[in-house]
Amino acid sequence: GSVPEAEARLVGRALREAVRVAAVRVAAVVRYRCASVAALTILLWRQVQQGDDGAAVQHLLSSCYCPLAAVELALCEAAKQGHTEGARLLLAAGAAACAQPVGMGKSALHAAAEAGHEAVARLLVHADPQAIHARSEALAGRTPLQVSK
């Protein structure tokens, strides 16, 4: 794979170990801070995709600087997968419910609505009621209500 993916695997191993021992280790934090933005984006996306209880996502968010672009991309993935706890953590970390990350062309609310994840959609609307009016670039200008199942 690519360098960011290899780096994400290394950081992921350190994250899993830190979560396993239920403590933030100084060495793990240093590794996170040295990780590239691309590696952090991949790692955060993968942690959200796994849909655990949120411990790994919470640990990653609190242990390093996660750029807003990475957090918002991860929010879209959490919404698509129906992971309410992950979405809650990412919203608390500053992700916007109506943001349309580069390469996605749709918001987290669009993703939740498309996949039929009502609980996540409700969470996102509660976080930003105006998100229901967002028009998707990738979905021919349609709103979350227009793409909902």
Side-chain angles (χ1 to χ4, degrees), residues 130-143:
Q130 295 303 310
I132 62 170
H133 302 295
R135 297 199 174 272
S136 168
E137 300 165 11
L139 301 172
R142 295 166 60 200
T143 67

Side-chain angles (χ1 to χ4, degrees), residues 3-30:
V3 172
E5 286 181 9
E7 189 177 357
R9 282 192 298 276
L10 290 173
V11 174
R13 276 190 225 121
L15 173 66
R16 284 188 296 279
E17 178 61 24
V19 169
R20 231 185 330 273
V21 297
V24 178
R25 303 255 186 238
V26 173
V29 173
V30 169

Side-chain angles (χ1 to χ4, degrees), residues 48-127:
V48 168
Q49 201 176 33
Q50 290 174 6
D52 62 10
D53 63 358
V57 172
Q58 177 63 46
H59 183 72
L60 181 60
L61 289 171
S62 65
S63 298
C64 67
Y65 166 73
C66 291
L68 188 57
V71 175
E72 288 177 342
L73 185 61
L75 178 61
C76 284
E77 184 61 27
K80 177 181 165 186
Q81 299 291 329
H83 300 310
T84 308
E85 181 60 18
R88 186 189 65 74
L89 292 168
L90 294 161
L91 286 167
C98 63
Q100 296 185 28
V102 174
M104 289 288 293
K106 58 185 171 183
S107 69
L109 185 54
H110 281 97
E114 273 186 311
H117 296 301
E118 184 178 340
V120 177
R122 286 180 185 275
L123 175 70
L124 295 167
V125 170
H126 181 50

